[in-house]
Amino acid sequence: MAKYDIIIIGGGHNGLVAAGYLAKAGLKTLVLERREIVGGAAVTEEIYPGFRCSTLSHSAAPFSSQVVKDLGLNRYGVEFITPAARVFAPAPDGRSICIYEDTAQTIRELEKVSAKDAKSYLAFQRSFSRIGGLLAPLLTMTPPAIEHPSAGELWNLGKLGRSFRNLGKQDAYRLLRWGPMAVADLVAEWFETETMRAVVAARGIFGAFAGPWSAGTSTGLLWQAAMDGHAIGPAAFVKGGMGALTEALAGAARNAGVEIRTGASVENIEVNEDRAANLFLNSGEELASRAIVSNADPRATFLKLLDPVCLDPSFLLKIRNYRATGVSAKINLALSGLPTFTGVEDDEVSTKLSGRIHIGPDIDYLERAFDAAKYGDYSPLPYMEITIPSLLDPALAPAGAQVMSVYIQYAPYRLKEGDWNSRREEFADHVIDVLSSYAPNLKELVVARQVITPLDLEETYGMSGGHIHHGEQSLDQFFTFRPLIGWAQYRTPIKGLYLCGAGTHPGGGVTGGPGANAAREIIKDFKTGKM
Ligand SMILES: Cc1cc2nc3c(=O)[nH]c(=O)nc-3n(C[C@H](O)[C@H](O)[C@H](O)COP(=O)(O)OP(=O)(O)OC[C@H]3O[C@@H](n4cnc5c(N)ncnc54)[C@H](O)[C@@H]3O)c2cc1C
């Protein structure tokens, strides 16, 4: 008799969300996390004595309010912070753009640079908000089976069709047209200011092996609008850093009866007659459960944890072709004070620098940054997304000091020359040099730095290919295609083995979506005796 109903491999935020729902449904659940702390890519760690930072992700996508409610996360101390600014974008010549939470304030700001863009912004935002509202139900939906959709799936699709008809001709046409478009084309239809175009386009390329001229990159804007009614990503911070969210998820899960073991790395899953049987830890320990749920990414789950002979050759070929080549790196800085940024007056610091800071002043800059990755090198002028979380959450750093979280793209997983371990410091020096043209006094403030390369993302954080979303989120790996067509319903060809991480719908970002959707399907299988 197995001691557990479910064992979840990985205590990333999606594994913890799934664990919480499964335990609440009465299933005895164990989470095994290979690192010493839970959270996966949503963790807060001390980067230097007294300085704590969200090591990887620094802003939620945003996180599902339904999951917060269902799992009672407020009782575990979760506090979300919404800064006044969504994103501030300085240019080296001193000009800048700031998108605020408040639409009227954004329009006033845009009027200073372009009357046309100020006028377009409201129409742009309203259109994305309406289209996002139509798409939002997809996020919590299990993608329909393509070959034999069930009556329930057909009903849901019918409902979506009716909402589509209610959208009105103009937005319906836009939705159909925008999805496959290059985001550079889309933004050019709305805005004339180069920095505004680049700020909006950034959501289409975040984490992607793609540039703004790549086809299909507008999907990122539509998906963002589905999540929070806005095409421009939010600054959705958590007090105490992202780790405070996953600590709360772990607390809620434990309270519901989940057992969580850290420092427990799963080595392989044994399969008996096409069914997941026991699993083995790297310590040699063997554990048994009625079902296994993997929060590891699809490539790691199928190509590392399973013996390939357990998989049908055509499935194996498809999963080998699943694209997961990362382009992101991270540098976290402990600073002795707040850097000055070009384009920010003294009395604007607490607002303009409170959200995300976008470095990438025009579309050509972003595309050229991607060019380098195509040819196996990091960008000479990288696209960056920066946050200074200690501005609104001073407990993260000693009095008067700050922590700065710098997300960098493009840093391709495969370098043509040398390797990431030998080029780590040279890369970090280069990034700080580039950043200094926007924050001139940065270098003199740096007390310590933590450099995380795509190789570290794979080796330390378990993300295959260093891909921050557990695989490209392009149209061919999206919704009913995520991770593979025919296998988008969290089940796998191995009976009793499920997926629940960012490699499943609705994909990457700290949302809790994949974990919640997967749990619903697993509970259904337990209830209907399919397990
Ligand atoms: C540098 C970076 C910046 C990002 N920035 C943002 C951002 O600002 N906003 C945003 O919304 N998203 C961001 N993301 C993306 C987001 O963090 C991820 O998409 C999301 O956290 C994935 O969550 P997950 O639970 O599915 O997987 P993960 O967080 O990857 O968790 C998987 C867990 O499984 C564990 N594991 C793997 N293999 C095993 C094994 N064999 N045995 C035991 N445990 C195992 C891993 O250690 C890990 O804890 C960023 C990601 C990175 C890397």
Side-chain angles (χ1 to χ4, degrees):
M1 274 289 283
K3 189 173 162 200
Y4 302 100
D5 292 313
I6 312 261
I7 295 180
I8 299 182
I9 304 172
H13 85 279
N14 279 313
L16 296 170
V17 166
Y21 279 103
L22 293 168
K24 277 174 76 109
L27 297 168
K28 183 134 185 57
T29 304
L30 168 70
V31 173
L32 298 169
E33 167 54 47
R34 64 198 276 275
R35 292 194 74 216
E36 291 304 327
I37 55 167
V38 293
V43 285
T44 308
E45 292 172 277
E46 190 169 56
I47 59 165
Y48 188 72
F51 293 82
R52 291 186 310 122
C53 188
S54 293
T55 324
L56 301 176
S57 59
H58 51 198
S59 165
F63 191 75
S64 157
S65 55
Q66 188 61 48
V67 174
V68 171
K69 198 166 144 216
D70 290 346
L71 301 183
L73 295 186
N74 290 335
R75 290 201 298 278
Y76 297 86
V78 163
E79 222 179 289
F80 291 96
I81 300 173
T82 308
R86 276 192 171 229
V87 55
F88 165 71
D93 63 6
R95 283 182 298 179
S96 66
I97 292 269
C98 192
I99 308 295
Y100 295 96
E101 269 303 308
D102 183 66
T103 304
Q105 198 178 0
T106 305
I107 291 171
R108 282 198 300 279
E109 175 85 7
L110 289 174
E111 273 164 356
K112 292 183 205 161
V113 288
S114 157
K116 179 179 181 290
D117 288 359
K119 192 157 171 268
S120 289
Y121 182 73
L122 193 59
F124 173 80
Q125 207 212 309
R126 286 189 174 155
S127 182
F128 268 96
S129 169
R130 290 188 297 267
I131 293 173
L134 167 90
L135 296 175
L138 292 176
L139 300 171
T140 51
M141 185 191 278
T142 296
I146 289 288
E147 285 189 11
H148 305 290
S150 68
E153 287 167 352
L154 289 173
W155 173 255
N156 282 340
L157 288 177
K159 267 202 315 205
L160 204 68
R162 278 193 297 281
S163 311
F164 181 75
R165 279 175 49 191
N166 293 337
L167 198 55
K169 243 185 183 167
Q170 193 179 38
D171 285 329
Y173 171 71
R174 283 172 175 164
L175 171 58
L176 294 176
R177 185 169 162 265
W178 284 349
M181 267 172 80
V183 72
D185 279 325
L186 192 152
V187 294
E189 289 182 2
W190 288 93
F191 303 109
E192 63 179 9
T193 314
E194 270 299 333
T195 308
M196 184 62 186
R197 289 179 178 179
V199 164
V200 180
R203 201 46 21 175
I205 56 169
F206 189 83
F209 198 104
W213 285 110
S214 305
T217 39
S218 294
T219 313
L221 272 56
L222 294 167
W223 217 221
Q224 186 63 52
M227 285 189 267
D228 87 325
H230 212 305
I232 301 172
F237 299 157
V238 182
K239 191 167 181 204
M242 298 300 276
L245 173 63
T246 43
E247 279 302 324
L249 282 167
R254 282 195 189 98
N255 203 34
V258 175
E259 192 183 323
I260 300 176
R261 283 175 61 181
T262 54
S265 180
V266 176
E267 198 70 13
N268 75 292
I269 302 167
E270 197 179 62
V271 176
N272 272 341
E273 293 171 359
D274 291 339
R275 188 181 181 89
N278 301 350
L279 54 74
F280 294 85
L281 301 186
N282 63 352
S283 61
E285 188 182 351
E286 183 177 355
L287 290 162
S289 58
R290 291 169 67 198
I292 295 172
V293 181
S294 179
N295 181 200
D297 64 79
R299 287 184 72 90
T301 304
F302 295 112
L303 302 177
K304 282 192 196 147
L305 298 179
L306 285 168
D307 185 337
V309 298
C310 307
L311 295 166
D312 172 80
S314 81
F315 180 88
L316 195 59
L317 182 68
K318 285 181 198 148
I319 208 75
R320 283 190 175 134
N321 289 338
Y322 176 76
R323 292 179 302 113
T325 303
V327 286
S328 315
K330 188 84 200 289
I331 298 180
N332 298 315
L333 299 173
L335 301 176
S336 58
L338 185 66
T340 49
F341 272 84
T342 56
V344 184
E345 301 296 333
D346 286 350
D347 61 346
E348 296 174 327
V349 167
S350 60
T351 49
K352 285 195 170 168
L353 300 184
S354 64
R356 295 180 295 112
I357 302 166
H358 164 100
I359 302 293
D362 55 55
I363 293 288
D364 286 351
Y365 178 110
L366 296 178
E367 187 67 23
R368 284 199 189 100
F370 172 49
D371 282 345
K374 283 187 273 188
Y375 305 113
D377 204 356
Y378 59 75
S379 314
L381 294 173
Y383 152 49
M384 291 181 243
E385 182 187 280
I386 297 161
T387 61
I388 312 175
S390 47
L391 259 183
L392 295 180
D393 188 3
L396 291 171
Q402 304 285 345
V403 281
M404 189 190 244
S405 161
V406 186
Y407 168 87
I408 305 128
Q409 206 175 307
Y410 298 78
Y413 173 72
R414 283 191 197 87
L415 284 175
K416 204 165 181 179
E417 284 180 23
D419 58 58
W420 275 112
N421 284 333
S422 62
R423 298 190 67 190
R424 172 192 310 272
E425 298 308 323
E426 156 214 320
F427 166 72
D429 288 343
H430 180 74
V431 168
I432 290 172
D433 276 345
V434 176
L435 196 45
S436 297
S437 32
Y438 301 83
N441 65 342
L442 180 67
K443 279 187 198 166
E444 63 206 59
L445 300 174
V446 176
V447 176
R449 69 187 190 191
Q450 176 191 33
V451 186
I452 300 164
T453 71
L455 190 63
D456 298 326
L457 291 181
E458 181 171 75
E459 291 181 346
T460 308
Y461 300 94
M463 300 174 134
S464 298
H467 203 293
I468 71 164
H469 296 317
H470 288 194
E472 273 308 277
Q473 306 213 112
S474 45
L475 285 170
D476 60 317
Q477 297 190 168
F478 211 66
F479 193 48
T480 45
F481 292 86
R482 192 159 187 86
L484 296 180
I485 190 159
W487 298 105
Q489 299 194 319
Y490 311 95
R491 299 172 185 88
T492 72
I494 308 290
K495 207 158 188 263
L497 175 65
Y498 298 83
L499 296 178
C500 75
T504 61
H505 171 74
V510 181
T511 65
N517 288 355
R520 187 181 55 237
E521 292 304 316
I522 298 162
I523 293 166
K524 213 189 282 172
D525 283 0
F526 267 85
K527 279 195 179 151
T528 54
K530 284 192 189 149
M531 259 309 308

